[in-house]
């Protein structure tokens, strides 16, 4: 088990199996020293635990937890490409999408669920640039979606 996975275990979290794509794409792909994930939904054991718009059917706190699940799924996707999460040198960018009720403006706080998890699991390597975007709807009526880009140590 990698140090990153040990840290996740200390947090009471387990790296899931890679979520199956819902369309024609792969969960993650490596290009040189970078790994790019596709947008990861908060899928748990093949299902979305909650659907709807944040600020309406989904509370901001629920959405923040779902963003954490998205980040876990993104780490699983990265691991499927590089084999060992300890090879991550830096999380470079996080992009989070929040399916938002028309008057909801708390997208940054929701995506903090992903950002905080990456920081706790990876320490300094988890510090990243980020966008948090409100959208009208996401695939499968998911409340949140997160994609990450990581830099992997050269030669690994």
């Amino acid at each position: 088990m990698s140090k990153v996975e040990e840290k996740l275990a200390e947090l009471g979290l387990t790296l899931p199996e890679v979520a199956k794509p819902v369309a024609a794409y792969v969960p993650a792909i490596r290009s040189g020293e970078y790994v790019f994930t596709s947008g990861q939904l908060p899928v748990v054991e093949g299902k979305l635990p909650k659907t709807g718009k944040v600020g309406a059917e989904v509370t901001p706190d629920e959405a923040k937890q779902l963003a954490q699940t998205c980040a876990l799924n993104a780490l699983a996707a990265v691991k499927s490409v590089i084999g060992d999460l300890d090879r991550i040198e830096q999380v470079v960018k996080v992009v989070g999408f929040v399916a938002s009720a028309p008057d909801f403006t708390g997208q940054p706080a929701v995506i903090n669920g992903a950002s905080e998890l990456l920081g706790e699991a990876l320490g300094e390597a988890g510090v990243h640039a980020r966008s948090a975007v409100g959208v009208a709807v996401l695939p499968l009526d998911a409340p949140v979606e997160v994609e990450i880009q990581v830099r992997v140590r050269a030669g690994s």
Side-chain angles (χ1 to χ4, degrees):
M1 185 183 295
S2 71
K3 290 179 183 175
V4 173
E5 289 177 87
E6 288 174 5
K7 183 61 179 176
L8 289 171
E10 288 174 20
L11 297 170
L13 302 169
T14 304
L15 202 65
E17 293 294 318
V18 178
K20 293 188 189 325
V22 298
Y25 60 88
V26 294
I29 194 162
R30 185 170 179 172
S31 179
E33 63 181 338
Y34 294 94
V35 175
F36 301 84
T37 71
S38 296
Q40 300 293 311
L41 300 178
V43 174
V44 177
E45 297 178 1
K47 298 185 339 189
L48 289 172
K50 193 94 176 156
T51 59
K53 307 292 181 284
V54 181
E57 300 88 2
V58 181
T59 69
D61 286 340
E62 290 170 325
K64 183 177 179 181
Q65 284 300 119
L66 293 169
Q68 179 184 73
T69 301
C70 292
L72 275 173
N73 289 342
L75 287 174
V78 169
K79 183 181 177 184
S80 76
V81 172
I82 64 172
D84 181 352
L85 292 177
D86 290 344
R87 293 180 172 176
I88 295 173
E89 187 173 85
Q90 187 70 55
V91 175
V92 177
K93 180 81 186 246
V94 171
V95 180
F97 303 95
V98 181
S100 303
D103 61 344
F104 182 72
T105 60
Q107 293 83 6
V110 169
I111 301 305
N112 278 349
S115 294
E116 291 168 2
L117 173 76
L118 293 168
E120 290 172 359
L122 294 157
E124 283 298 310
V127 176
H128 53 269
R130 185 183 90 179
S131 298
V133 182
V135 297
V137 67
L138 287 167
L140 308 177
D141 200 24
V144 294
E145 181 176 347
V146 172
E147 62 182 56
I148 67 174
Q149 300 166 9
V150 302
R151 187 175 64 242
V152 180
R153 279 190 211 91
S156 60

